[in-house]
Amino acid sequence: MRFTYFWENLFGGGQRLYLFEKNLLAAVEAKLCPQSQHLLRLQVDAINKVQRAVQGTEINFYRMAKGCPTFDDSIRFPSSETEVRFATLHLAHPNKKETLRATIWAVQGFMSYLHFSKPPHQFYEADVKSIEPEFLKVTVWWDPCLVQ
């Protein structure tokens, strides 16, 4: 059983997005123009490998095939940007006057990674897999389909 888990994670069939992460992406999607919403939804649906940094402050998203990252031009945002800050979300703590900042980055037209100001599990003092965050502010810095 562990051997199968190892191979799935190595070749991309392993980890999926947690509800917490899906909620962050959905909050950004809601702020985009319709064409960008559609492309973001396709990109999120294509993610089949999620790599979470040990310290918990960064999550990388991959679309894998046969053990290699894939870059499907049909779901790429129309952009010539190499790396761009896509959106920033400010999340409320349910019991404290403290916020968590999450920044989503796009690389070469693909939503690629999420960076937190501190590890979410430390911020919430809980396992974040199924937490439904309260959003104080969602700022889209770059709507790919509105950029000329």
Side-chain angles (χ1 to χ4, degrees):
M1 188 69 159
R2 265 188 86 65
F3 187 71
T4 304
Y5 174 79
F6 169 78
W7 283 109
E8 282 183 348
N9 281 317
L10 182 65
F11 291 109
Q15 300 175 347
R16 302 287 183 194
L17 290 167
Y18 296 152
L19 177 62
F20 173 72
E21 297 154 356
K22 288 179 183 179
N23 286 332
L24 298 179
L25 297 172
V28 171
E29 180 184 324
K31 299 273 188 175
L32 299 173
C33 74
Q35 184 183 1
S36 295
Q37 287 178 343
H38 178 70
L39 289 173
L40 180 60
R41 201 170 308 117
L42 290 173
Q43 288 188 19
V44 170
D45 289 346
I47 293 169
N48 59 5
K49 182 167 181 64
V50 178
Q51 182 182 46
R52 294 174 184 86
V54 174
Q55 67 272 25
T57 57
E58 189 168 292
I59 302 169
N60 296 300
F61 307 115
Y62 298 97
R63 295 143 202 95
M64 305 287 287
K66 298 181 182 177
C68 297
T70 61
F71 302 96
D72 180 354
D73 285 334
S74 71
I75 64 172
R76 184 186 304 266
F77 290 121
S79 168
S80 59
E81 300 287 333
T82 302
E83 183 174 27
V84 64
R85 180 175 56 167
F86 194 24
T88 303
L89 304 97
H90 294 269
L91 314 175
H93 190 283
N95 303 318
K96 298 178 184 176
K97 292 184 180 193
E98 193 176 343
T99 61
L100 175 67
R101 186 180 66 250
T103 305
I104 300 172
W105 292 83
V107 177
Q108 296 179 343
F110 289 94
M111 191 268 310
S112 297
Y113 65 97
L114 179 56
H115 184 267
F116 295 99
S117 57
K118 65 175 69 172
H121 67 277
Q122 288 179 6
F123 175 74
Y124 288 108
E125 300 169 340
D127 184 359
V128 296
K129 291 179 186 175
S130 59
I131 286 180
E132 295 195 30
E134 177 188 342
F135 300 103
L136 297 174
K137 185 177 179 183
V138 178
T139 305
V140 173
W141 300 106
W142 179 74
D143 188 332
C145 297
L146 297 180
V147 176
Q148 297 298 331

